[in-house]
Amino acid sequence: MEASVILPILKKKLAFLSGGKDRRSGLILTIPLCLEQTNMDELSVTLDYLLSIPSEKCKARGFTVIVDGRKSQWNVVKTVVVMLQNVVPAEVSLVCVVKPDEFWDKKVTHFCFWKEKDRLGFEVILVSANKLTRYIEPCQLTEDFGGSLTYDHMDWLNKRLVFEKFTKESTSLLDELALINNGSDKGNQQEKERSVDLNFLPSVDPETVLQTGHELLSELQQRRFNGSDGGVSWSPMDDELLAQPQVMKLLDSLREQYTRYQEVCRQRSKRTQLEEIQQKVVNWLEGPGSEQLRAQWGIGDSIRASQALQQKHEEIESQHSEWFAVYVELNQQIAALLNAGDEEDLVELKSLQQQLSDVCYRQASQLEFRQNLLQAALEFHGVAQDLSQQLDGLLGMLCVDVAPADGASIQQTLKLLEEKLKSVDVGLQGLREKGQGLLDQISNQASWAYGKDVTIENKENVDHIQGVMEDMQLRKQRCEDMVDVRRLKMLQMVQLFKCEEDAAQAVEWLSELLDALLKTHIRLGDDAQETKVLLEKHRKFVDVAQSTYDYGRQLLQATVVLCQSLRCTSRSSGDTLPRLNRVWKQFTIASEERVHRLEMAIAFHSNAEKILQDCPEEPEAINDEEQFDEIEAVGKSLLDRLTVPVVYPDGTEQYFGSPSDMASTAENIRDRMKLVNLKRQQLRHPEMVTTES
């Protein structure tokens, strides 16, 4: 009985061998009853099939039958137990009826099993699912009964179908192969000369059957016959149940017969293949194959054209490759025949082999030459395209007017321009090398032209290559001339920006000098000598400012000249020059004010010092009231001047130093004026001095 015949019944899982064993190493047969009425005929068929699987040795150890009655009625369970007597009378050792939670009538069940115990021939016990481990180890029970044994019924059924299919197909295939092989051994001369036809082919593919057998044997050897991919493997069973010896025996027989069959087929096909050599290989290579190569001479005028030719050549190579593969196989067969020495006309075989080799090698050389030529043309056009793009980029850069923001950007642009020009030089040199190599290959093209005049085709290719190189040389020369002009202009612009930057720096310096003049040049000196020193330092300070102003003016004049040369508008004429003049004007006003104050301070200190010194030789001068009045007037004027700010042409005002600095200077002047007044009083009233003395 085959599983495929009763497949719908087996899918119902009316009974199954889980692979578990009882404590006597007997197999466990499980009958899961359900709520629906169980078809006893189908159950009987299922049991017959399952009991046909184990060997007699396994059956002799007896079976433990688990009847799962938790979802069934008592009368159904009783019927199944009684049926076991007819199906497996001698093999059953123990029947465990798993009772439901709501137990049947104990008196009825106990009385019935006790009454029929001797007649049944095996022991029947009622047990709940959680106490089933008293009779069977948990590792031998499936999960339905609280055990750890994994069982997948559909997986087992699928593998069982594979096993039976392999057994059936391999047995049939062995008979067919034996018939073919034996017929070949007994055949006559007429059969040996006959070509292989469909009558000599097996009904199934031997390779497929062998592959199926190896996969099946691998499953059996790994003890996964009833396992699942994600679960625990089925517990090991006897070799009789796993059917390993049967599969191994069939595989050995199949390999032996299939090897003999392959040898028979090879021997039968030798003569036929040799007879087809001239017609299929040599004729095609010398005919259509050679004609295809003769028609391909161009190299294209661009990358796209070369790629199209290369693709066409690859198609031709693909067609040739198929015939070359046939040549290799047939050449090996001819060599085997020559080595075996079982052919009468060895000279003819050698001549045929030599002819085949010459044709194939000649075609292969032509294909390789053509491929190398097209690859060289593709590289040449690729370099030409890259160089053309570089020249276009360089020309575009040269055609755009230069309007950089500063000298640094001009330097960067100039550097980029030089790099692009250098890259163009390298690209042109590479194009010349590629072009010369391509020309050398074209000059050798006539060596395998089969007598065809390729002068016209070669001339077109040569003219195209030379034309591309000459055109690139002319474009490069034009770009070089434009680069020279642009370089000169950019260098002038660098100088222009430098002058503008230096002029702006001169303005900043002059502004810093003005700021220093107003904030730090505030002292008027404590005496005439110190004030004269301060005046001398101030004049030197003014000379520095004058030099700075003159330097800025010269730079701005240079920018005007450069702008006229570059025909551009300088930013300095509208911004830097007014700033320079404005700062210089402010500096001049502040400087003049500083000079006036110092000169007044010198006059004040000089006159004050003359009066304050005791000079008996000049009493008239000391007693001159006008001098005292003049000193007082100069001092007051100086004090008033210290409080007056510097007024610029735009109306803005600026003070020398801070108020505290001015207050300190004014205090020194007032102290000197007090001394002068005291001296004046002494001269007017000498008796006051005597009294005080």
Side-chain angles (χ1 to χ4, degrees):
M1 183 183 300
E2 297 181 0
S4 58
V5 178
I6 59 172
L7 183 59
I9 298 177
L10 293 176
K11 286 183 178 181
K12 294 181 179 181
K13 196 180 177 182
L14 300 177
F16 60 88
L17 288 170
S18 65
K21 297 180 182 180
D22 57 21
R23 290 187 173 92
R24 299 187 301 273
S25 297
L27 297 178
I28 297 175
L29 175 64
T30 305
I31 303 176
L33 300 179
C34 57
L35 294 175
E36 299 177 358
Q37 186 66 28
T38 302
N39 189 318
M40 294 302 166
D41 292 336
E42 293 181 349
L43 178 58
S44 177
V45 171
T46 302
L47 293 174
D48 288 340
Y49 176 76
L50 292 176
L51 294 175
S52 66
I53 295 176
S55 64
E56 295 300 327
K57 183 178 179 181
C58 287
K59 294 178 182 179
R61 288 194 289 266
F63 290 87
T64 292
V65 182
I66 299 177
V67 180
D68 189 358
R70 290 176 292 181
K71 298 180 181 180
S72 183
Q73 298 178 357
W74 164 246
N75 57 348
V76 177
V77 174
K78 180 180 178 182
T79 303
V80 172
V81 173
V82 174
M83 187 183 66
L84 291 175
Q85 181 185 21
N86 300 324
V87 179
V88 282
E91 289 83 356
V92 176
S93 300
L94 175 64
V95 176
C96 296
V97 178
V98 181
K99 60 186 179 180
D101 295 335
E102 297 179 357
F103 192 37
W104 307 295
D105 189 343
K106 294 184 178 180
K107 293 182 180 180
V108 175
T109 54
H110 183 270
F111 172 77
C112 292
F113 283 128
W114 183 265
K115 181 179 178 180
E116 298 181 5
K117 178 178 180 181
D118 296 335
R119 183 173 63 84
L120 291 174
F122 47 78
E123 182 182 1
V124 180
I125 61 174
L126 293 174
V127 64
S128 59
N130 58 356
K131 294 182 180 181
L132 194 59
T133 55
R134 294 180 180 179
Y135 306 95
I136 303 172
E137 296 294 335
C139 62
Q140 302 297 324
L141 290 174
T142 59
E143 296 177 354
D144 295 336
F145 303 111
S148 60
L149 182 63
T150 300
Y151 173 75
D152 187 341
H153 184 70
M154 292 308 299
D155 183 67
W156 172 86
L157 184 56
N158 291 334
K159 288 183 170 60
R160 188 66 192 176
L161 290 172
V162 173
F163 169 72
E164 292 184 355
K165 181 182 178 183
F166 168 72
T167 304
K168 183 178 179 180
E169 289 182 348
S170 59
T171 303
S172 175
L173 181 60
L174 280 173
D175 294 338
E176 294 177 1
L177 292 178
L179 179 62
I180 295 173
N181 295 335
N182 294 336
S184 176
D185 294 339
K186 299 178 182 179
N188 51 25
Q189 184 66 25
Q190 181 180 358
E191 185 177 349
K192 290 184 179 180
E193 295 177 355
R194 184 174 60 180
S195 299
V196 178
D197 55 23
L198 294 177
N199 294 329
F200 286 89
L201 297 178
S203 58
V204 293
D205 182 19
E207 294 285 351
T208 303
V209 177
L210 283 170
Q211 182 179 357
T212 302
H214 285 300
E215 293 175 355
L216 178 59
L217 181 60
S218 178
E219 292 285 344
L220 295 176
Q221 289 175 342
Q222 295 176 11
R223 298 302 178 92
R224 294 175 56 198
F225 188 81
N226 286 30
S228 59
D229 294 337
V232 181
S233 300
W234 188 32
S235 59
M237 299 175 66
D238 293 341
D239 292 341
E240 293 85 354
L241 184 59
L242 293 175
Q244 288 189 46
Q246 184 178 354
V247 176
M248 294 175 64
K249 182 178 179 181
L250 287 173
L251 284 174
D252 292 340
S253 300
L254 273 177
R255 282 192 289 266
E256 180 182 357
Q257 291 294 336
Y258 184 51
T259 302
R260 292 182 59 195
Y261 168 75
Q262 289 177 316
E263 181 63 23
V264 169
C265 292
R266 191 183 66 83
Q267 292 293 338
R268 290 173 178 172
S269 64
K270 284 181 181 179
R271 176 53 60 186
T272 302
Q273 291 174 342
L274 291 177
E275 291 175 352
E276 293 175 353
I277 291 176
Q278 185 69 26
Q279 181 180 357
K280 291 184 177 180
V281 181
V282 177
N283 289 349
W284 189 91
L285 292 177
E286 292 183 343
S290 298
E291 192 60 33
Q292 287 178 347
L293 287 176
R294 292 192 186 99
Q296 298 294 318
W297 293 101
I299 61 172
D301 56 358
S302 63
I303 291 181
R304 182 174 297 179
S306 296
Q307 289 176 340
L309 290 173
Q310 206 170 41
Q311 183 176 0
K312 178 63 177 176
H313 182 73
E314 289 175 356
E315 295 175 358
I316 296 175
E317 280 187 332
S318 178
Q319 297 179 22
H320 279 74
S321 297
E322 297 176 1
W323 292 103
F324 289 157
V326 175
Y327 152 72
V328 172
E329 182 180 355
L330 295 179
N331 190 49
Q332 292 175 352
Q333 294 183 8
I334 294 175
L337 291 175
L338 291 173
N339 292 333
D342 55 356
E343 293 291 333
E344 297 179 357
D345 196 356
L346 295 179
V347 176
E348 182 180 355
L349 275 178
K350 291 182 179 180
S351 175
L352 190 61
Q353 185 184 41
Q354 187 62 42
Q355 179 187 9
L356 185 62
S357 298
D358 292 344
V359 172
C360 289
Y361 280 117
R362 183 169 60 249
Q363 289 293 104
S365 299
Q366 295 171 9
L367 288 170
E368 183 180 6
F369 183 89
R370 175 64 178 169
Q371 176 62 33
N372 294 336
L373 182 66
L374 290 176
Q375 183 61 35
L378 182 63
E379 294 175 358
F380 172 77
H381 289 125
V383 174
Q385 178 174 296
D386 293 341
L387 180 58
S388 178
Q389 293 175 352
Q390 292 177 2
L391 289 170
D392 290 341
L394 180 58
L395 183 62
M397 186 176 178
L398 293 170
C399 291
V400 177
D401 192 15
V402 180
D406 50 34
S409 61
I410 294 180
Q411 292 284 6
Q412 185 67 25
T413 304
L414 185 59
K415 181 180 179 182
L416 179 61
L417 198 64
E418 297 291 349
E419 291 177 352
K420 284 184 174 293
L421 185 59
K422 183 178 180 181
S423 178
V424 167
D425 289 334
V426 175
L428 183 60
Q429 182 61 32
L431 181 67
R432 290 169 179 165
E433 294 176 358
K434 294 292 184 182
Q436 187 58 48
L438 186 56
L439 290 174
D440 294 340
Q441 285 184 277
I442 291 176
S443 64
N444 297 327
Q445 192 172 8
S447 61
W448 48 275
Y450 286 103
K452 179 181 177 180
D453 186 6
V454 295
T455 305
I456 298 177
E457 289 83 353
N458 282 345
K459 186 177 185 305
E460 293 178 356
N461 294 334
V462 170
D463 292 343
H464 167 69
I465 296 170
Q466 293 177 346
V468 170
M469 291 191 293
E470 291 173 358
D471 178 63
M472 293 299 172
Q473 177 63 39
L474 291 175
R475 291 177 61 186
K476 187 247 184 184
Q477 186 62 47
R478 288 196 296 269
C479 286
E480 281 184 340
D481 296 340
M482 295 178 68
V483 167
D484 292 339
V485 176
R486 177 58 59 89
R487 185 186 294 110
L488 177 60
K489 182 177 181 180
M490 294 181 75
L491 290 176
Q492 288 180 337
M493 293 189 72
V494 171
Q495 187 176 3
L496 171 62
F497 276 106
K498 181 63 176 175
C499 290
E500 289 182 347
E501 291 174 0
D502 291 347
Q505 184 63 51
V507 174
E508 294 297 327
W509 288 342
L510 196 58
S511 298
E512 292 174 359
L513 292 174
L514 174 60
D515 188 64
L517 174 62
L518 293 172
K519 291 183 179 180
T520 61
H521 293 208
I522 55 179
R523 294 189 69 255
L524 297 179
D526 296 333
D527 52 38
Q529 183 63 33
E530 184 181 358
T531 305
K532 290 178 181 179
V533 172
L534 291 174
L535 180 61
E536 184 64 26
K537 290 182 178 180
H538 176 71
R539 287 171 178 168
K540 293 180 180 179
F541 183 77
V542 172
D543 291 339
V544 173
Q546 181 70 49
S547 300
T548 303
Y549 172 71
D550 294 340
Y551 176 66
R553 292 281 302 194
Q554 293 173 2
L555 291 173
L556 291 176
Q557 290 175 358
T559 59
V560 173
V561 175
L562 289 172
C563 286
Q564 292 175 352
S565 175
L566 295 171
R567 297 179 181 179
C568 65
T569 301
S570 172
R571 297 175 299 174
S572 300
S573 60
D575 182 20
T576 309
L577 182 59
R579 286 176 54 216
L580 180 65
N581 291 332
R582 182 173 64 254
V583 175
W584 175 245
K585 185 63 176 178
Q586 293 174 351
F587 183 88
T588 302
I589 293 173
S591 176
E592 290 176 352
E593 177 63 21
R594 173 67 174 168
V595 170
H596 290 159
R597 293 185 181 187
L598 288 172
E599 289 177 347
M600 291 177 66
I602 291 173
F604 172 76
H605 286 301
S606 298
N607 293 329
E609 288 172 358
K610 289 179 181 180
I611 291 175
L612 293 175
Q613 291 176 357
D614 293 330
C615 299
E617 296 82 5
E618 299 180 0
E620 298 83 2
I622 297 176
N623 295 328
D624 190 353
E625 289 291 334
E626 292 181 357
Q627 284 188 339
F628 286 101
D629 294 338
E630 182 180 355
I631 293 172
E632 185 176 0
V634 173
K636 290 181 178 180
S637 298
L638 185 57
L639 289 174
D640 292 338
R641 194 136 194 165
L642 291 176
T643 61
V644 177
V646 179
V647 181
Y648 296 139
D650 58 358
T652 58
E653 298 178 352
Q654 184 68 44
Y655 288 91
F656 278 91
S658 63
S660 60
D661 295 333
M662 292 296 99
S664 176
T665 303
E667 187 65 25
N668 292 333
I669 296 174
R670 291 189 185 98
D671 291 342
R672 182 57 65 94
M673 290 178 66
K674 289 179 180 179
L675 294 174
V676 172
N677 288 330
L678 180 61
K679 185 70 174 180
R680 185 177 187 178
Q681 293 295 330
Q682 291 175 354
L683 292 175
R684 285 180 179 179
H685 306 283
E687 64 278 3
M688 295 177 62
V689 177
T690 307
T691 302
E692 291 176 359
S693 302

